[in-house]
Amino acid sequence: VDAFLAARDLGADGVELDVHLTADGVVVVHHDPDLPGQGPIAALSAAELPPWIPSLFEALDACSPLLVNVEIKAGAEPATGHDDLVSQVAALLVPRREAARLVVSSFCLSAIDSLRNLAPSLATALLVEPTDDPKAALETAQRHGHGGLHPFFPFVDEALVKAAGRVGIAIR
């Protein structure tokens, strides 16, 4: 939580954070799926995690009023097992009534498709792998009804920004 508070205090516009689901169904913020010396977050209860790993709820409170990009950590390929994480993220975000400052992204198209179906009021964005064609990803995002595209920054050029603008998709 301290890092999010510091980002806010330094004047950041927004933050990106990665979420995972614990064995007891708590959405927590951590980049990696495993904790060194402890194993997979998915195999641990929230009480077994170190105190410096916040829940998504705690992180969102610390980040207010910043823009928060919540990345659902799932692979780029259709994955099994992300349904519980997606439904828990939707259940946490929708009641907060802060849709204007929240966007949910993932490299896994099926994860953000699922989230969009569960919570159409939330903004969603497709993350683009550095090896993927950003123009093809833009077409995919548009076809699936996602309002954002998060490409690898060296591939953001005037043509991509203009193409996204023509179809109403934000580039972040």
Side-chain angles (χ1 to χ4, degrees):
V1 171
D2 291 342
F4 298 122
L5 292 171
R8 186 187 65 196
D9 292 345
L10 288 170
D13 295 354
V15 297
E16 183 268 353
L17 51 83
D18 304 327
V19 294
H20 298 275
L21 196 61
T22 63
D24 54 345
V26 177
V27 181
V28 296
V29 176
H30 193 266
H31 182 267
D32 298 320
D34 299 312
L35 291 178
Q38 286 189 269
I41 290 172
L44 301 168
S45 71
E48 294 174 296
L49 298 176
W52 52 266
I53 295 181
S55 69
L56 177 57
F57 188 85
E58 293 167 325
L60 290 173
D61 282 349
C63 293
S64 185
L66 304 178
L67 172 69
V68 180
N69 174 13
V70 177
E71 180 184 340
I72 293 178
K73 292 300 271 192
E77 298 302 316
T80 57
H82 63 61
D83 290 343
D84 289 342
L85 176 57
V86 168
S87 63
Q88 289 292 348
V89 167
L92 280 170
L93 297 186
V94 170
R96 293 184 70 95
R97 303 186 195 279
E98 299 171 291
R101 76 175 188 103
L102 304 173
V103 61
V104 181
S105 64
S106 185
F107 287 105
C108 181
L109 181 61
S110 63
I112 58 170
D113 283 348
S114 295
L115 185 111
R116 191 173 164 282
N117 289 333
L118 286 171
S121 64
L122 294 174
T124 52
L126 179 60
L127 284 160
V128 184
E129 293 281 1
T131 56
D132 292 343
D133 174 11
K135 290 179 180 66
L138 177 63
E139 292 171 8
T140 299
Q142 180 187 14
R143 201 169 48 251
H144 286 253
H146 302 295
L149 187 73
H150 298 179
F152 189 52
F153 73 92
F155 299 118
V156 177
D157 59 17
E158 185 177 355
L160 181 64
V161 172
K162 284 184 177 182
R166 283 192 295 272
V167 295
I169 291 183
I171 299 287
R172 296 185 198 88

